[in-house]
Amino acid sequence: MTASRPSWLASVHYETAAMRRAGVRRLLVISGEPGWCSRQAAALCDALAGDWLWVGEQSERGVGCRPAALKTLLGREFLHAVFDARQALSVDALAALAGTLVAGSWLVLLVPPWSRWPRVPDGDSLRWSEQPQPIATPCFTRYFRASLLADPAVALLRQNRAPQLTPLPSRPPWQAPVLGRPTADQRRLLRRLTQAEPGIYIMIAPRGRGKSALAGMFAHKLADACCITAPAKAAVDVLRRYAGPDAPFFAPDALLARCREGARARWLLVDEAAALPLPLLRQLMGYFSHVLLTTTVAGYEGTGRGFLLKFCDGLPRWYPLVLDAPLRWSINDPLERWLTKTLLLEDADAQIIAAEPAPPDADRVAARVAPQDSAMGSTPPAVAVASAPSSASGFTSVVRTGARAVSGENPSARGIMDDRCAARWRIDRVGALTWRRQPAARQAFYRLLTRAHYRTSPIDLRRLMDAPGMSFFTAHQHGDMMGGYGWWRKGD
């Protein structure tokens, strides 16, 4: 006997059609017992045509990928995906998966039963809690649940409860970019690159802005005058689609070997450059007069911000190129909006971009300064101390001056603090209860951490809220949080 179709599928069909017309993606959360969640997800996959990439430790259908391997799919595109978080919620992998989904897609998130969820051990905690077994993460889970309930664009299917599926507000029809034809922003950057003098050009944008497509269009113009590389061949699917089947792609190690043997080209194109080992990238760049690197610094990868704070900061000069408008979906996409707000991703890319002067003839070349955070106060501090994850035994201090952040691991930074600055600080000890009761303070602390240290990612937000044995101090000036320090005892 065939099981009846869930009643909510008709509403999902209707909303999917509306999402395609509007060019947006949405999040659909399925919460309940494991078997019930699996049946709802299977019904959805059967009802809607799509790729249905399944991300989890074990795939139940379609194309499967473990969360730790998602970086091999960066640069690819999918229609619909399932993220199985019933045993482990890797928020950085969740955000990375969202970046691969095209307009009209559902991101289906499977989670434990709603009321028990805060008490369920989370396997992802093994990455950041320093505990031998998974621990429950009640603080982050309650915060995460509240963010789901607060956004009307998030669809909720909870076992033994009525479905929550708010219709998408009316939007004008979305005009998808014509395949193979550059947008106005892309045309401006293509002109800039075509006339480029020797140097390093770094294309910076969140996911879905057309970085890989633009790099592919430029490679098509260059033909055999360039070499293309990326962390994995699968990561350049979009680039190769625009560059053509004969595009000169090489694995990074193989390209370095060819360069050492005397092979030469004018341009080096590196897609997803932040995911490459930085020493290898530096060696490759030394063989080319012109270099184009594409990277994402949306905050959820950690390496992307590290690319700006650590790698680019060491370059004598480089030219940042920025793409702002999304191509895979429309502006104000509900899924991107929810992720940005929940995982505090909006401050990821400003500091080093703002510090690097743009060339005078640049067209759409970045020289942007991040807006001042209201939670951080209206007057920027002369010096701010932040916390930065360093080792299993604690955090190291970071000194932030102006738009740049300098790690306490750098001896030259230790002399920056002086008595005039120290005399104006109020130091408070902060516990987990404070973070729960004062979410603005927690967000300010985390944003300072993202600006101060290149490896900060949403894993640190989870550590901040639930890791055992954590201790924090915050520094305030005129009532505003200007810095902080945190550590945890190894083995607690």
Side-chain angles (χ1 to χ4, degrees):
M1 182 175 177
T2 303
S4 60
R5 287 160 57 92
S7 59
W8 50 264
L9 273 179
S11 298
V12 169
H13 270 290
Y14 181 84
E15 287 305 306
T16 304
M19 289 159 55
R20 284 197 298 265
R21 289 192 298 270
V24 300
R25 298 102 33 87
R26 292 179 66 176
L27 177 67
L28 190 156
V29 179
I30 301 178
S31 172
E33 298 297 337
W36 184 86
C37 289
S38 295
R39 290 191 295 273
Q40 310 312 303
L44 190 58
C45 294
D46 290 338
L48 297 179
D51 300 303
W52 286 114
L53 174 67
W54 189 291
V55 177
E57 294 304 321
Q58 292 184 337
S59 174
E60 296 187 8
R61 62 187 299 131
V63 180
C65 178
R66 300 181 67 181
L70 256 180
K71 63 182 180 180
T72 64
L73 301 180
L74 298 180
R76 298 182 64 181
E77 298 177 351
F78 300 93
L79 176 63
H80 306 311
V82 176
F83 191 97
D84 189 349
R86 289 172 290 185
Q87 295 182 349
L89 174 57
S90 172
V91 288
D92 45 339
L94 177 68
L97 173 62
T100 69
L101 298 181
V102 298
S105 292
W106 287 100
L107 174 48
V108 179
L109 177 63
L110 309 184
V111 300
W114 195 260
S115 61
R116 297 207 311 266
W117 189 5
R119 303 189 300 274
V120 174
D122 188 334
D124 191 64
S125 65
L126 292 173
R127 293 198 295 161
W128 49 263
S129 68
E130 297 299 315
Q131 300 300 300
Q133 299 294 329
I135 63 171
T137 58
C139 295
F140 181 83
T141 300
R142 292 190 180 102
Y143 164 77
F144 196 81
R145 287 191 317 181
S147 75
L148 296 172
L149 292 172
D151 193 331
V154 175
L156 283 174
L157 299 178
R158 291 179 285 181
Q159 192 172 8
N160 300 323
R161 295 196 188 186
Q164 294 179 228
L165 184 55
T166 304
L168 188 71
S170 178
R171 287 174 173 241
W174 180 57
Q175 297 295 326
V178 178
L179 185 64
R181 185 181 302 174
T183 65
D185 279 353
Q186 288 175 328
R187 285 196 298 272
R188 282 192 287 267
L189 291 187
L190 281 171
R191 285 197 301 270
R192 169 65 182 151
L193 290 169
T194 301
Q195 303 166 5
E197 60 189 39
I200 301 168
Y201 298 81
I202 303 179
M203 195 183 309
I204 301 165
R207 296 268 168 230
R209 266 56 180 180
K211 301 182 303 298
S212 297
L214 176 57
M217 295 174 192
F218 187 50
H220 183 72
K221 286 178 174 289
L222 293 173
D224 58 357
C226 71
C227 292
I228 303 168
T229 191
K233 191 172 183 178
V236 291
D237 280 359
V238 174
L239 189 154
R240 290 168 66 90
R241 187 187 310 161
Y242 288 86
D246 298 326
F249 174 82
F250 305 93
D253 292 340
L255 178 58
L256 182 59
R258 286 175 58 88
C259 291
R260 288 170 173 168
E261 292 170 359
R264 292 291 182 272
R266 189 159 60 98
W267 275 92
L268 169 66
L269 274 58
V270 184
D271 203 17
E272 303 295 347
L276 279 181
L278 298 187
L280 174 59
L281 184 59
R282 289 191 184 96
Q283 291 182 68
L284 285 171
M285 290 168 55
Y287 289 97
F288 298 85
S289 61
H290 298 68
V291 177
L292 173 63
L293 311 177
T294 77
T295 190
T296 300
V297 283
Y300 50 82
E301 293 163 286
T303 55
R305 187 179 296 108
F307 192 78
L308 287 179
L309 290 176
K310 188 174 183 180
F311 181 76
C312 297
D313 197 31
L315 298 175
R317 185 164 181 79
W318 55 280
Y319 303 93
L321 311 174
V322 177
L323 288 169
D324 291 317
L327 297 185
R328 295 181 194 166
W329 50 82
S330 65
I331 295 173
N332 198 25
D333 172 72
L335 178 58
E336 184 177 54
R337 184 183 64 229
W338 174 81
L339 278 168
T340 299
K341 182 177 181 180
T342 302
L343 301 184
L344 308 180
L345 302 177
E346 65 270 20
D347 290 328
D349 66 347
Q351 301 305 324
I352 298 300
I353 298 173
E356 177 64 18
D361 59 341
D363 198 357
R364 292 279 294 167
V365 171
R368 304 185 301 174
V369 178
Q372 180 65 36
D373 229 340
S374 59
M376 297 297 292
S378 57
T379 305
V383 179
V385 182
S387 57
S390 174
S391 68
S393 59
F395 282 33
T396 58
S397 64
V398 173
V399 178
R400 179 174 177 267
T401 58
R404 304 223 177 193
V406 186
S407 171
E409 298 163 359
N410 181 355
S412 65
R414 296 184 183 131
I416 297 178
M417 294 292 287
D418 58 29
D419 293 337
R420 292 173 300 166
C421 181
R424 297 194 297 267
W425 296 103
R426 187 189 85 241
I427 307 299
D428 294 332
R429 184 163 186 167
V430 179
L433 183 61
T434 303
W435 293 144
R436 289 198 297 272
R437 292 179 174 176
Q438 301 179 21
R442 178 186 65 220
Q443 292 171 9
F445 188 97
Y446 178 73
R447 285 180 174 132
L448 183 60
L449 181 59
T450 66
R451 294 170 182 177
H453 198 270
Y454 69 94
R455 287 185 178 176
T456 305
S457 78
I459 295 175
D460 298 293
L461 184 60
R462 303 210 64 184
R463 179 186 289 116
L464 179 67
M465 298 176 73
D466 282 300
M470 290 294 299
S471 297
F472 300 98
F473 290 90
T474 57
H476 300 259
Q477 188 181 54
H478 306 302
D480 296 317
M481 185 189 298
M482 297 298 189
Y485 189 84
W487 77 91
W488 73 95
R489 293 184 179 181
K490 187 174 181 179
D492 280 0

